[in-house]
PDB file of all heavy atoms in Angstrom:
ATOM      1  N   GLN A  32       7.406  30.675  14.963  1.00 84.00           N
ATOM      2  CA  GLN A  32       7.997  29.331  14.780  1.00 84.00           C
ATOM      3  C   GLN A  32       6.911  28.450  14.172  1.00 84.00           C
ATOM      4  O   GLN A  32       5.786  28.444  14.659  1.00 84.00           O
ATOM      5  CB  GLN A  32       8.386  28.730  16.134  1.00 84.00           C
ATOM      6  CG  GLN A  32       9.351  29.550  16.942  1.00 84.00           C
ATOM      7  CD  GLN A  32      10.793  29.246  16.614  1.00 84.00           C
ATOM      8  OE1 GLN A  32      11.094  28.314  15.874  1.00 84.00           O
ATOM      9  NE2 GLN A  32      11.698  30.053  17.129  1.00 84.00           N
ATOM     10  N   ALA A  72      10.915  23.376   5.789  1.00 93.00           N
ATOM     11  CA  ALA A  72      11.452  22.892   7.073  1.00 93.00           C
ATOM     12  C   ALA A  72      10.458  21.919   7.706  1.00 93.00           C
ATOM     13  O   ALA A  72      10.848  20.914   8.304  1.00 93.00           O
ATOM     14  CB  ALA A  72      11.717  24.065   8.002  1.00 93.00           C
ATOM     15  N   GLU A 182       1.043   9.763  20.868  1.00 93.00           N
ATOM     16  CA  GLU A 182       1.857  10.971  20.961  1.00 93.00           C
ATOM     17  C   GLU A 182       2.600  11.122  19.655  1.00 93.00           C
ATOM     18  O   GLU A 182       3.041  10.119  19.089  1.00 93.00           O
ATOM     19  CB  GLU A 182       2.933  10.786  22.045  1.00 93.00           C
ATOM     20  CG  GLU A 182       2.548  11.307  23.388  1.00 93.00           C
ATOM     21  CD  GLU A 182       3.706  11.187  24.369  1.00 93.00           C
ATOM     22  OE1 GLU A 182       4.521  10.243  24.259  1.00 93.00           O
ATOM     23  OE2 GLU A 182       3.798  12.038  25.233  1.00 93.00           O
ATOM     24  N   PRO A 183       2.788  12.348  19.186  1.00 95.00           N
ATOM     25  CA  PRO A 183       3.553  12.490  17.943  1.00 95.00           C
ATOM     26  C   PRO A 183       4.984  11.998  18.124  1.00 95.00           C
ATOM     27  O   PRO A 183       5.557  12.135  19.202  1.00 95.00           O
ATOM     28  CB  PRO A 183       3.511  13.986  17.657  1.00 95.00           C
ATOM     29  CG  PRO A 183       3.097  14.642  18.927  1.00 95.00           C
ATOM     30  CD  PRO A 183       2.324  13.642  19.715  1.00 95.00           C
ATOM     31  N   ILE A 185       8.964  11.860  17.883  1.00 96.00           N
ATOM     32  CA  ILE A 185      10.051  12.838  17.896  1.00 96.00           C
ATOM     33  C   ILE A 185      11.100  12.336  16.907  1.00 96.00           C
ATOM     34  O   ILE A 185      11.501  11.180  16.983  1.00 96.00           O
ATOM     35  CB  ILE A 185      10.639  12.953  19.314  1.00 96.00           C
ATOM     36  CG1 ILE A 185       9.596  13.557  20.258  1.00 96.00           C
ATOM     37  CG2 ILE A 185      11.910  13.786  19.303  1.00 96.00           C
ATOM     38  CD1 ILE A 185      10.008  13.576  21.717  1.00 96.00           C
ATOM     39  N   PRO A 186      11.526  13.174  15.965  1.00 97.00           N
ATOM     40  CA  PRO A 186      12.536  12.682  15.030  1.00 97.00           C
ATOM     41  C   PRO A 186      13.849  12.385  15.752  1.00 97.00           C
ATOM     42  O   PRO A 186      14.256  13.137  16.633  1.00 97.00           O
ATOM     43  CB  PRO A 186      12.711  13.827  14.028  1.00 97.00           C
ATOM     44  CG  PRO A 186      12.174  15.036  14.697  1.00 97.00           C
ATOM     45  CD  PRO A 186      11.156  14.573  15.699  1.00 97.00           C
ATOM     46  N   ALA A 187      14.491  11.274  15.399  1.00 97.00           N
ATOM     47  CA  ALA A 187      15.785  10.944  15.994  1.00 97.00           C
ATOM     48  C   ALA A 187      16.879  11.605  15.159  1.00 97.00           C
ATOM     49  O   ALA A 187      16.666  11.962  14.006  1.00 97.00           O
ATOM     50  CB  ALA A 187      15.971   9.438  16.018  1.00 97.00           C
ATOM     51  N   MET A 188      18.055  11.754  15.764  1.00 97.00           N
ATOM     52  CA  MET A 188      19.153  12.450  15.087  1.00 97.00           C
ATOM     53  C   MET A 188      19.512  11.797  13.754  1.00 97.00           C
ATOM     54  O   MET A 188      19.774  12.466  12.771  1.00 97.00           O
ATOM     55  CB  MET A 188      20.394  12.520  15.993  1.00 97.00           C
ATOM     56  CG  MET A 188      20.152  13.254  17.290  1.00 97.00           C
ATOM     57  SD  MET A 188      19.480  14.916  17.041  1.00 97.00           S
ATOM     58  CE  MET A 188      18.023  14.856  18.071  1.00 97.00           C
ATOM     59  N   ARG A 189      19.503  10.472  13.729  1.00 97.00           N
ATOM     60  CA  ARG A 189      19.827   9.799  12.456  1.00 97.00           C
ATOM     61  C   ARG A 189      18.775  10.081  11.416  1.00 97.00           C
ATOM     62  O   ARG A 189      19.080  10.249  10.241  1.00 97.00           O
ATOM     63  CB  ARG A 189      19.934   8.291  12.670  1.00 97.00           C
ATOM     64  CG  ARG A 189      21.266   7.891  13.211  1.00 97.00           C
ATOM     65  CD  ARG A 189      21.308   6.414  13.398  1.00 97.00           C
ATOM     66  NE  ARG A 189      21.892   5.757  12.243  1.00 97.00           N
ATOM     67  CZ  ARG A 189      22.471   4.573  12.320  1.00 97.00           C
ATOM     68  NH1 ARG A 189      22.527   3.942  13.470  1.00 97.00           N
ATOM     69  NH2 ARG A 189      22.989   4.024  11.255  1.00 97.00           N
ATOM     70  N   ILE A 191      17.028  12.735  11.185  1.00 97.00           N
ATOM     71  CA  ILE A 191      17.216  14.116  10.729  1.00 97.00           C
ATOM     72  C   ILE A 191      18.297  14.155   9.654  1.00 97.00           C
ATOM     73  O   ILE A 191      18.156  14.833   8.634  1.00 97.00           O
ATOM     74  CB  ILE A 191      17.575  15.037  11.921  1.00 97.00           C
ATOM     75  CG1 ILE A 191      16.380  15.125  12.893  1.00 97.00           C
ATOM     76  CG2 ILE A 191      17.976  16.425  11.443  1.00 97.00           C
ATOM     77  CD1 ILE A 191      16.674  15.810  14.223  1.00 97.00           C
ATOM     78  N   MET A 192      19.350  13.384   9.861  1.00 97.00           N
ATOM     79  CA  MET A 192      20.423  13.357   8.858  1.00 97.00           C
ATOM     80  C   MET A 192      19.973  12.657   7.584  1.00 97.00           C
ATOM     81  O   MET A 192      20.310  13.071   6.474  1.00 97.00           O
ATOM     82  CB  MET A 192      21.663  12.647   9.428  1.00 97.00           C
ATOM     83  CG  MET A 192      22.358  13.433  10.492  1.00 97.00           C
ATOM     84  SD  MET A 192      22.835  15.075   9.965  1.00 97.00           S
ATOM     85  CE  MET A 192      24.370  14.726   9.135  1.00 97.00           C
ATOM     86  N   ARG A 195      18.007  14.567   4.862  1.00 94.00           N
ATOM     87  CA  ARG A 195      18.755  15.370   3.898  1.00 94.00           C
ATOM     88  C   ARG A 195      18.714  14.800   2.495  1.00 94.00           C
ATOM     89  O   ARG A 195      18.650  15.526   1.523  1.00 94.00           O
ATOM     90  CB  ARG A 195      20.236  15.359   4.289  1.00 94.00           C
ATOM     91  CG  ARG A 195      20.658  16.462   5.139  1.00 94.00           C
ATOM     92  CD  ARG A 195      22.162  16.387   5.267  1.00 94.00           C
ATOM     93  NE  ARG A 195      22.581  17.268   6.350  1.00 94.00           N
ATOM     94  CZ  ARG A 195      23.849  17.409   6.703  1.00 94.00           C
ATOM     95  NH1 ARG A 195      24.800  16.748   6.089  1.00 94.00           N
ATOM     96  NH2 ARG A 195      24.162  18.221   7.681  1.00 94.00           N
TER      97      ARG A 195
ATOM     98  N   GLU B  21      18.134  25.098   9.158  1.00 92.00           N
ATOM     99  CA  GLU B  21      16.827  24.495   9.441  1.00 92.00           C
ATOM    100  C   GLU B  21      17.025  23.178  10.195  1.00 92.00           C
ATOM    101  O   GLU B  21      16.263  22.829  11.085  1.00 92.00           O
ATOM    102  CB  GLU B  21      16.056  24.228   8.138  1.00 92.00           C
ATOM    103  CG  GLU B  21      15.456  25.475   7.512  1.00 92.00           C
ATOM    104  CD  GLU B  21      14.565  26.268   8.458  1.00 92.00           C
ATOM    105  OE1 GLU B  21      14.036  25.684   9.422  1.00 92.00           O
ATOM    106  OE2 GLU B  21      14.422  27.487   8.241  1.00 92.00           O
ATOM    107  N   GLU B  22      18.073  22.449   9.790  1.00 95.00           N
ATOM    108  CA  GLU B  22      18.342  21.155  10.417  1.00 95.00           C
ATOM    109  C   GLU B  22      18.669  21.323  11.900  1.00 95.00           C
ATOM    110  O   GLU B  22      18.191  20.562  12.741  1.00 95.00           O
ATOM    111  CB  GLU B  22      19.520  20.527   9.699  1.00 95.00           C
ATOM    112  CG  GLU B  22      19.547  19.044   9.730  1.00 95.00           C
ATOM    113  CD  GLU B  22      20.590  18.556   8.752  1.00 95.00           C
ATOM    114  OE1 GLU B  22      21.772  18.519   9.120  1.00 95.00           O
ATOM    115  OE2 GLU B  22      20.208  18.246   7.622  1.00 95.00           O
ATOM    116  N   ALA B  29      13.365  18.740  18.445  1.00 97.00           N
ATOM    117  CA  ALA B  29      13.208  17.329  18.798  1.00 97.00           C
ATOM    118  C   ALA B  29      13.659  17.088  20.238  1.00 97.00           C
ATOM    119  O   ALA B  29      12.937  16.487  21.038  1.00 97.00           O
ATOM    120  CB  ALA B  29      14.004  16.454  17.832  1.00 97.00           C
ATOM    121  N   ARG B  36       8.709  16.104  27.564  1.00 96.00           N
ATOM    122  CA  ARG B  36       7.893  14.916  27.809  1.00 96.00           C
ATOM    123  C   ARG B  36       8.481  13.992  28.849  1.00 96.00           C
ATOM    124  O   ARG B  36       7.794  13.508  29.731  1.00 96.00           O
ATOM    125  CB  ARG B  36       7.846  14.088  26.509  1.00 96.00           C
ATOM    126  CG  ARG B  36       6.619  14.302  25.725  1.00 96.00           C
ATOM    127  CD  ARG B  36       6.616  13.258  24.633  1.00 96.00           C
ATOM    128  NE  ARG B  36       6.193  13.865  23.400  1.00 96.00           N
ATOM    129  CZ  ARG B  36       6.183  13.217  22.244  1.00 96.00           C
ATOM    130  NH1 ARG B  36       6.608  11.968  22.173  1.00 96.00           N
ATOM    131  NH2 ARG B  36       5.776  13.824  21.167  1.00 96.00           N
ATOM    132  N   GLU B  61      17.508   6.275  21.710  1.00 97.00           N
ATOM    133  CA  GLU B  61      16.534   6.308  20.619  1.00 97.00           C
ATOM    134  C   GLU B  61      16.499   7.654  19.901  1.00 97.00           C
ATOM    135  O   GLU B  61      16.428   7.698  18.676  1.00 97.00           O
ATOM    136  CB  GLU B  61      15.127   5.990  21.160  1.00 97.00           C
ATOM    137  CG  GLU B  61      14.852   4.498  21.215  1.00 97.00           C
ATOM    138  CD  GLU B  61      13.630   4.166  22.069  1.00 97.00           C
ATOM    139  OE1 GLU B  61      12.882   5.091  22.439  1.00 97.00           O
ATOM    140  OE2 GLU B  61      13.451   2.978  22.373  1.00 97.00           O
ATOM    141  N   ILE B  62      16.544   8.744  20.667  1.00 97.00           N
ATOM    142  CA  ILE B  62      16.520  10.028  19.960  1.00 97.00           C
ATOM    143  C   ILE B  62      17.877  10.345  19.323  1.00 97.00           C
ATOM    144  O   ILE B  62      17.961  11.203  18.462  1.00 97.00           O
ATOM    145  CB  ILE B  62      16.051  11.217  20.838  1.00 97.00           C
ATOM    146  CG1 ILE B  62      16.986  11.448  22.020  1.00 97.00           C
ATOM    147  CG2 ILE B  62      14.617  11.061  21.294  1.00 97.00           C
ATOM    148  CD1 ILE B  62      16.768  12.797  22.679  1.00 97.00           C
ATOM    149  N   GLY B  63      18.908   9.637  19.746  1.00 98.00           N
ATOM    150  CA  GLY B  63      20.217   9.834  19.109  1.00 98.00           C
ATOM    151  C   GLY B  63      21.088  10.841  19.838  1.00 98.00           C
ATOM    152  O   GLY B  63      21.916  11.506  19.226  1.00 98.00           O
ATOM    153  N   VAL B  71      27.805   7.438  10.920  1.00 97.00           N
ATOM    154  CA  VAL B  71      26.665   6.521  10.918  1.00 97.00           C
ATOM    155  C   VAL B  71      27.115   5.055  10.979  1.00 97.00           C
ATOM    156  O   VAL B  71      26.495   4.235  11.654  1.00 97.00           O
ATOM    157  CB  VAL B  71      25.804   6.773   9.661  1.00 97.00           C
ATOM    158  CG1 VAL B  71      24.700   5.742   9.532  1.00 97.00           C
ATOM    159  CG2 VAL B  71      25.220   8.180   9.700  1.00 97.00           C
ATOM    160  N   GLY B  75      26.517   6.395  15.124  1.00 97.00           N
ATOM    161  CA  GLY B  75      26.209   7.809  15.366  1.00 97.00           C
ATOM    162  C   GLY B  75      25.299   8.358  14.289  1.00 97.00           C
ATOM    163  O   GLY B  75      24.691   7.593  13.523  1.00 97.00           O
ATOM    164  N   ALA B  76      25.217   9.702  14.231  1.00 97.00           N
ATOM    165  CA  ALA B  76      24.359  10.313  13.208  1.00 97.00           C
ATOM    166  C   ALA B  76      25.181  11.097  12.193  1.00 97.00           C
ATOM    167  O   ALA B  76      24.643  11.602  11.215  1.00 97.00           O
ATOM    168  CB  ALA B  76      23.323  11.224  13.859  1.00 97.00           C
ATOM    169  N   GLY B  77      26.494  11.214  12.426  1.00 97.00           N
ATOM    170  CA  GLY B  77      27.338  11.952  11.489  1.00 97.00           C
ATOM    171  C   GLY B  77      26.994  13.433  11.425  1.00 97.00           C
ATOM    172  O   GLY B  77      27.114  14.065  10.388  1.00 97.00           O
ATOM    173  N   MET B  78      26.590  13.984  12.570  1.00 98.00           N
ATOM    174  CA  MET B  78      26.182  15.400  12.584  1.00 98.00           C
ATOM    175  C   MET B  78      27.366  16.317  12.841  1.00 98.00           C
ATOM    176  O   MET B  78      28.438  15.878  13.239  1.00 98.00           O
ATOM    177  CB  MET B  78      25.165  15.608  13.701  1.00 98.00           C
ATOM    178  CG  MET B  78      23.851  14.962  13.410  1.00 98.00           C
ATOM    179  SD  MET B  78      22.650  15.369  14.664  1.00 98.00           S
ATOM    180  CE  MET B  78      21.201  15.489  13.607  1.00 98.00           C
TER     181      MET B  78
END
Side-chain angles (χ1 to χ4, degrees):
Chain A
Q32 302 272 352
E182 266 185 328
I185 294 174
M188 300 306 126
R189 278 180 95 155
I191 294 170
M192 290 304 277
R195 267 187 193 180
Chain B
E21 284 306 336
E22 207 168 83
R36 261 190 222 175
E61 274 165 11
I62 62 165
V71 173
M78 290 186 144

